[in-house]
Each structure stands twice: as C-alpha cells, then as structure tokens.
Amino acid sequence: MADTKNEESETASDAEWPDRVAGGISSFIQVIELAAAGLFALLFGIGVLDLAFQIALTVPTGGITNPLVVIGFIETGLLLLIIVEVYQTVVAYVRQNDTRQIVRLVIYTGVIAMVRKVIIFRTSEYPSVNDALLAAVSYTVIMFGLVSLLYVERKLAGPDISVN
C-alpha cells in the first residue's frame, strides 16, 4: 500500500515538472515582453522630445516654412506613431488580448509605415525612372493589400475596438 502511494506521488511529480518549467519560461517571456514595451515607451518619449526640439530650433530660423523640413517633421511624427502601434501590440501580447485585436494593431502599423514611405517618396532617390516606378507600384500594391486586410478585418470584427 505504501509503495502504491509513493509511485502515485512520483508519477504526479513527474507530470508536474514540465508544467512548472513551462510556467517559469512563460513568466520569463512575459518579463522580457514588458521590458520591450518599456523600451518602446522610452523611445517614444525621447522621440517626442526630439521632435519638439527640432521644431523649436527651426521656427526662429524660418526653416519651418520649408516644405521639405515640414515633411521631415511629418516623417518623424509617423515614425513615432509606428512606435506607439508596436508598443500597443506588445502590450496586447502581454495581456493576452484577443488575436483579432493584435492582428488589427499589426495592420495599423503596416498602414502607418506605408503612408510614411509614400510621404517621403522621392524619385530622385532612385538610380533610374524605372526603379522609381517599380518602387511606387510596389508601395501602391502593399497599401491596397493592407487597406483590404483592414477592411475585411473590420467587417468580420464588427464594432471598433479601443486600445489603451
């Protein structure tokens, strides 16, 4: 009878250790995810301060009226929005939110990134007109794909979600 109890407790212990190890690994990954979220929040804060500093330096010189300077500010602002979307995606993973919400956040990030690429697109950055045309067509296809994904996702999801 005593042997049966020992065998049962050993079998229970053997069955529990993978769960404990998996739980420890999950906790470790969650800590790393939170650290990544903190890093993205820090990058966002530094970026906002840097953008404000750049604008403050440009106003007195009159450079704020230069369209290329303004486009640079917009580019930086959109990059900051991408950082916010990545932060929100990481937080959604940590909170183990609905997969659909995470997918939507990833699509938003892609749309913002492509809008940024379109805004800063300059044909002069490419060695030939054909290269610039190929890049423009590629951006267009990617944008339509992302917008289509967002449309389909919204139709399937129903009402809008709120992200904190």
Side-chain angles (χ1 to χ4, degrees):
M1 188 85 164
D3 289 335
T4 307
K5 282 188 177 182
N6 285 342
E7 287 177 18
E8 286 177 8
S9 72
E10 285 179 22
T11 305
S13 298
D14 291 345
E16 291 174 4
W17 80 265
D19 291 338
R20 286 191 301 242
V21 170
I25 292 171
S26 291
S27 296
F28 173 74
I29 288 175
Q30 210 167 24
V31 166
I32 298 299
E33 288 172 338
L34 287 170
L39 182 61
F40 285 120
L42 179 66
L43 285 174
F44 177 73
I46 291 169
V48 168
L49 292 174
D50 182 54
L51 179 60
F53 186 66
Q54 287 178 21
I55 291 171
L57 289 177
T58 309
V59 170
T61 64
I64 194 77
T65 60
N66 182 343
L68 292 177
V69 171
V70 173
I71 287 174
F73 294 152
I74 292 170
E75 177 186 3
T76 302
L78 289 172
L79 184 59
L80 291 172
L81 288 178
I82 291 169
I83 292 171
V84 168
E85 291 297 327
V86 171
Y87 164 80
Q88 289 178 341
T89 303
V90 170
V91 169
Y93 274 115
V94 170
R95 291 180 178 166
Q96 298 176 346
N97 286 356
D98 180 33
T99 303
R100 184 170 278 156
Q101 179 181 3
I102 295 169
V103 168
R104 186 179 286 183
L105 288 169
V106 170
I107 294 170
Y108 284 158
T109 304
V111 169
I112 293 168
M114 289 311 302
V115 166
R116 179 178 171 264
K117 291 296 275 181
V118 168
I119 287 174
I120 65 171
F121 180 78
R122 300 282 173 271
T123 56
S124 61
E125 295 177 3
Y126 295 90
S128 71
V129 174
N130 286 339
D131 290 343
L133 181 61
L134 181 62
V137 169
S138 299
Y139 292 165
T140 303
V141 169
I142 293 169
M143 279 296 291
F144 278 124
L146 287 168
V147 169
S148 298
L149 278 173
L150 189 58
Y151 176 77
V152 167
E153 196 283 327
R154 283 179 168 254
K155 284 297 181 190
L156 291 175
D160 228 0
I161 58 171
S162 64
V163 178
N164 297 332

